[in-house]
Amino acid sequence: MRGFMLLCTAAFLLAGCEKKRVEYAEKTTRVTTSGLEERIFRQRIPLQGTVQPVEFATISAKISGTLELLKVDEGDKIKKGDILFGIDRQVLKNQVVVKEDEIKVRQAALDGAKIALKIAQISFTQAQRDYERAKNLSRSKAISESSVEAAETDFKKAEMAVNNARADISNAEAQLKQAQSNLAIAQKNLNDSTITAPFDCVVFDKFVEENEFVSTGTEILKLENHNALEVVCFISSVYYHQIHPGKTAVDFTDKSGKVLCRSHITYKAPGIDPESRTFKIKISVPAEAGLVSGMLCELNIILTERKGFGLPESAVLLRAGNRMIAYTVDENNRAQSVDIQRGIVDGGFAEIVNGSGFTDRKFVITGQTFINNGSLLVEAKTEK
């Protein structure tokens, strides 16, 4: 009886052990995979800048007077050379006529002085002969000493008359030159009274009205050439040697980051501001950008641009020692880590510099933070 009970107990215990040997299935992780994507990678500097015209000018009065002519208004489109305004033109024309007449008077005075010199020179020559003859006759006692003295006096008077005539000519020449200078000034004032457009432009602002009195230097109009626009920006000095006018590309974008058009840097400052540690650049604005003067625009300076293979930035993981890895899927659906050389990160994608060696591999792009080397994977979706 006791043996039977022991046998039953052993059978019961054996049955319990068999019940505990339940096999558990290996844990799997659901992931999304994708192959490497070939795309353009760009190293960018995002900036904002204000659009302004390449050519602009504030036109001021060059002389004082009444603004008797103002032919333009705000918003008018003007061609180079078109008349903008005029100041006291009739008064200045009269001044030119007066100065021209003054020159004629001074020229006549000079001509008269030259004639007087010729007459004085003839008289001087005759007096010189008479004096020499009187001295010769005096030696032979043919004339008195007083006659010689009289001839000498006439000679000296004639000599002084020549000198005076020459002085009159110098004075007349100086007065003529002064009159010519006065005419040049009057002519310049007349020319300055009418101002023309220095370039094709739009009248951006008008500061005075017709028939107002203006002084020299008074601002009259502000002009801008809207056919040639540029953006002026200041960027960090660390990029100075990476900017090359005429070569460095710039993308104009909208608020969402969509590229509207491309241009290039046209100017780089020859030096760096020591206080802000920045330098100035200028970028030409293409017409297709649809921008106008004064607008704030979004743009990206393209420091580097190249084609390469890439993965979503989140698929590349950082490990100890600044080592970068990504997970691929082997033939047994298990995770396998590979070392990655990450390049440019652009638009949420990381450039895989050594990607040419993995073009036939599938990479884990979601769920990678929950797996380790050798983890069993279930692919929810395979992209590309």
Side-chain angles (χ1 to χ4, degrees):
M1 184 68 179
R2 183 174 181 182
F4 176 76
M5 290 182 63
L6 289 173
L7 183 60
C8 290
T9 301
F12 177 78
L13 292 174
L14 183 59
C17 289
E18 289 295 332
K19 192 175 182 180
K20 289 183 180 179
R21 280 195 208 135
V22 177
E23 291 190 2
Y24 292 96
E26 184 177 0
K27 179 183 178 182
T28 60
T29 304
R30 186 175 294 274
V31 297
T32 304
T33 63
S34 171
L36 291 174
E37 181 176 331
E38 191 172 16
R39 56 187 290 149
I40 300 297
F41 289 91
R42 299 178 180 91
Q43 182 184 1
R44 321 165 191 244
I45 306 175
L47 291 174
Q48 283 186 327
T50 301
V51 178
Q52 64 184 39
V54 175
E55 291 182 301
F56 59 93
T58 299
I59 307 298
S60 303
K62 293 184 178 180
I63 60 171
S64 297
T66 301
L67 189 64
E68 62 183 24
L69 175 68
L70 185 57
K71 293 182 68 69
V72 298
D73 209 342
E74 291 153 328
D76 287 352
K77 293 183 178 180
I78 309 298
K79 292 291 185 181
K80 180 179 180 180
D82 287 351
I83 293 177
L84 298 175
F85 60 85
I87 300 173
D88 279 349
R89 280 190 57 79
Q90 191 56 52
V91 173
L92 296 172
K93 284 180 181 178
N94 293 340
Q95 289 180 2
V96 169
V97 172
V98 170
K99 299 306 178 185
E100 288 174 340
D101 291 341
E102 183 182 355
I103 286 179
K104 293 177 182 178
V105 172
R106 299 304 179 188
Q107 184 65 56
L110 176 59
D111 294 342
K114 289 179 178 179
I115 293 172
L117 175 60
K118 289 180 180 179
I119 294 172
Q121 286 174 330
I122 292 172
S123 298
F124 171 75
T125 301
Q126 184 61 45
Q128 188 177 34
R129 288 181 189 147
D130 292 343
Y131 178 46
E132 292 296 331
R133 186 182 301 112
K135 288 194 292 184
N136 290 334
L137 293 173
S138 175
R139 293 188 190 98
S140 61
K141 307 297 183 180
I143 61 173
S144 64
E145 189 66 30
S146 61
S147 297
V148 176
E149 290 175 353
E152 182 182 10
T153 300
D154 291 340
F155 168 68
K156 289 182 178 179
K157 286 181 179 179
E159 185 178 34
M160 290 179 63
V162 169
N163 291 335
N164 287 337
R166 286 174 176 159
D168 289 342
I169 288 175
S170 296
N171 183 52
E173 288 176 338
Q175 290 183 344
L176 176 60
K177 186 176 181 179
Q178 180 63 50
Q180 290 170 335
S181 297
N182 291 339
L183 175 60
I185 293 172
Q187 188 64 58
K188 183 179 185 304
N189 288 338
L190 177 60
N191 294 338
D192 289 346
S193 70
T194 300
I195 302 300
T196 58
F199 46 80
D200 292 349
C201 59
V202 172
V203 179
F204 192 84
D205 208 347
K206 183 173 72 172
F207 305 110
V208 296
E209 296 297 334
E210 196 169 73
N211 296 321
E212 283 189 37
F213 181 86
V214 295
S215 302
T216 302
T218 300
E219 294 182 351
I220 308 295
L221 300 169
K222 182 179 179 181
L223 309 177
E224 293 186 354
N225 181 2
H226 288 174
N227 295 323
L229 301 175
E230 65 183 4
V231 178
V232 177
C233 301
F234 290 84
I235 62 175
S236 172
S237 61
V238 299
Y239 300 112
Y240 191 82
H241 295 294
Q242 295 176 264
I243 300 298
H244 305 286
K247 295 182 180 179
T248 302
V250 179
D251 286 339
F252 286 80
T253 68
D254 59 17
K255 293 292 184 181
S256 67
K258 178 184 177 182
V259 176
L260 302 174
C261 59
R262 172 164 287 196
S263 184
H264 289 82
I265 290 174
T266 57
Y267 168 83
K268 177 177 78 170
I272 296 168
D273 180 72
E275 294 184 2
S276 64
R277 300 298 177 188
T278 61
F279 64 97
K280 182 165 71 173
I281 60 171
K282 295 180 181 180
I283 304 147
S284 61
V285 179
E288 57 267 31
L291 301 173
V292 299
S293 176
M295 272 189 174
L296 187 68
C297 65
E298 310 283 336
L299 43 87
N300 288 316
I301 297 175
I302 310 301
L303 297 179
T304 306
E305 184 175 55
R306 58 177 178 252
K307 181 180 284 189
F309 295 102
L311 287 172
E313 184 182 2
S314 58
V316 180
L317 305 174
L318 177 64
R319 293 294 184 257
N322 289 325
R323 178 168 155 257
M324 294 286 190
I325 69 161
Y327 285 107
T328 64
V329 182
D330 66 14
E331 63 276 8
N332 298 316
N333 284 336
R334 293 190 179 275
Q336 181 181 2
S337 67
V338 293
D339 288 337
I340 292 298
Q341 297 175 28
R342 190 176 69 177
I344 299 171
V345 177
D346 178 20
F349 268 72
E351 178 192 19
I352 309 302
V353 177
N354 58 336
S356 59
F358 303 110
T359 55
D360 59 342
R361 306 287 291 273
K362 291 188 296 184
F363 285 81
V364 178
I365 60 172
T366 64
Q368 64 274 13
T369 56
F370 304 105
I371 62 177
N372 294 303
N373 236 0
S375 295
L376 184 61
L377 308 177
V378 175
E379 296 183 52
K381 180 183 178 184
T382 300
E383 299 183 0
K384 192 179 172 183

